Amino acid sequence: MSSSPSPDTSVLPVVQAQLLGPQWPTLDPFLFCAHHDDAYPAGNAAFGPAVPIDDRQIGSDFSRKDGWSMYHGDTVPGFPGHPHRGFETVTLVRKGLIDHSDSLGAAARFGGGDVQWVTAGKGIVHSEMFPLLNATAPNPLELFQIWLNLPARHKMVEPHFTMLWNERIPRLEHRDAAGRKTTVTVVAGALPGAPAPLSPPPESWASQPEGDVAIWTLHLEPGAEWTLPAAAGAGAQRMLYFFVGESLRVGPQEVDRHAALQLRAGHDWLLANTGTTPVECLLLQGRPIAEPVAQYGPFVMNTQAEIMQAMNDYRRTQFGGWPWPDQDPVHGTAARRFARYPGQASEEIPEASPATSAAG
């Protein structure tokens, strides 16, 4: 990683840079960010891989053997029923389809640019399975899963599940002086020039005015330039993940390897794709919650005593129980996107072939 020389390093945009690995470094209020990019093969009649899997550590396969993992799935790849408390999961699916089921009775099949946002609050159990619906061709899957913390006053709110459908998520398309395009997909956080963002869950830190939360994805054509505006409020922290492309210039600094770039959030910075292929980035921004974090696996609270209480509550109540016949439900053979909220009829999203579409 290189940077152009500058006489005043105090105003360089990149505070710190870290090379990207399986899990990406995060800044408060974010807890976790994982990029799953799995080249799954054709599927079998049970929606699992139509190839032998006996040589994998079934139940805990993160091997990326042949370019994919089973994760905690034993037939279908994915994450069977598991609990959360005290934070939120935000899942951005770029390719493929995910089947969601939870202890609220909610269900969904989503993908191809859709975003699922779950406030765990006082406790939820959910499964996230990756059914391989195509029996004659590969089933690629790519997604980000982001964990966003909740402040202490909201850690025990009622759980909440919502979908942000790809077609409704606002985007900003900008052409620079040379006509080269940058597209910014606005999952959360207002962006000047873009339509208003969709509403995050009501108790989310992203819904609090002081949170200054932004979740954006950026796609820059070769040679494209776009100015990343400064964060709206003072004190926000900002991480820009450069994960696709050859090279990216941030202000005067050239970045030639995929990296997590902690940026000075209080300044506008010119981004330029200095390579010959498209550049893609994920931006996570927020004002720190600045509270103690106690974490044990899927529970994130403020104290160890609260962690022990979460474990005891889950053993005692199972966070409301599991209304599904299996720990790893799959929602049929049709490559359709839908969501069923607790006590409501299903919402169908009529778009052909979402499993093969990609979002910026």
Side-chain angles (χ1 to χ4, degrees), residues 58-105:
I58 298 304
S60 185
D61 171 38
F62 291 78
S63 67
R64 289 200 53 78
K65 182 177 182 292
D66 301 322
W68 52 275
S69 300
M70 288 293 291
Y71 302 107
H72 294 307
D74 55 17
T75 301
V76 179
F79 297 85
H82 57 282
H84 291 302
R85 173 180 276 187
F87 66 100
E88 300 185 285
T89 62
V90 185
T91 306
L92 291 70
V93 186
R94 290 163 53 85
K95 300 176 186 175
L97 290 170
I98 294 182
D99 279 359
H100 165 91
S101 310
D102 67 35
S103 53
L104 304 176

Side-chain angles (χ1 to χ4, degrees), residues 39-44 48 50 132-140 356:
Y40 288 115
N44 58 27
L132 308 185
L133 301 183
N134 197 326
T136 60
N139 289 273
T356 60

Side-chain angles (χ1 to χ4, degrees), residues 127-255:
S127 68
E128 304 155 291
M129 305 309 300
F130 311 150
L132 308 185
L133 301 183
N134 197 326
T136 60
N139 289 273
L141 177 80
E142 184 186 1
L143 64 91
F144 299 114
Q145 182 157 99
I146 299 158
W147 289 13
L148 175 60
N149 202 6
L150 286 167
R153 67 181 185 271
H154 288 161
K155 283 192 176 293
M156 295 296 286
V157 299
E158 293 295 324
H160 185 92
F161 157 81
T162 195
M163 289 299 312
L164 309 181
W165 299 109
N166 176 49
E167 295 84 351
R168 303 171 190 169
I169 295 173
R171 288 171 174 79
L172 171 68
E173 292 191 355
H174 172 268
R175 290 195 179 272
D176 60 23
R180 300 183 178 99
K181 186 169 72 172
T182 296
T183 302
V184 185
T185 301
V186 183
V187 175
L191 173 64
L198 301 176
S199 297
E203 310 296 347
S204 174
W205 187 237
S207 291
Q208 314 310 308
E210 70 272 26
D212 204 9
V213 170
I215 301 174
W216 303 336
T217 61
L218 285 60
H219 182 283
L220 287 77
E221 293 180 346
E225 297 185 347
W226 177 69
T227 299
L228 174 66
Q237 299 194 117
R238 177 177 274 180
M239 192 79 88
L240 183 71
Y241 303 93
F242 166 41
F243 69 97
V244 170
E246 298 168 354
S247 57
L248 173 70
R249 190 170 66 245
V250 184
Q253 292 181 276
E254 193 78 27
V255 182

Side-chain angles (χ1 to χ4, degrees), residues 80-82 99-109 124-127 161 320-332 338-342 346:
H82 57 282
D99 279 359
H100 165 91
S101 310
D102 67 35
S103 53
L104 304 176
R109 172 167 284 175
I124 194 171
V125 182
H126 74 158
S127 68
F161 157 81
W322 186 247
W324 305 92
D326 305 302
Q327 290 295 310
D328 54 355
V330 174
H331 302 316
F338 77 95
R340 185 174 70 246
Y341 294 88
S346 292

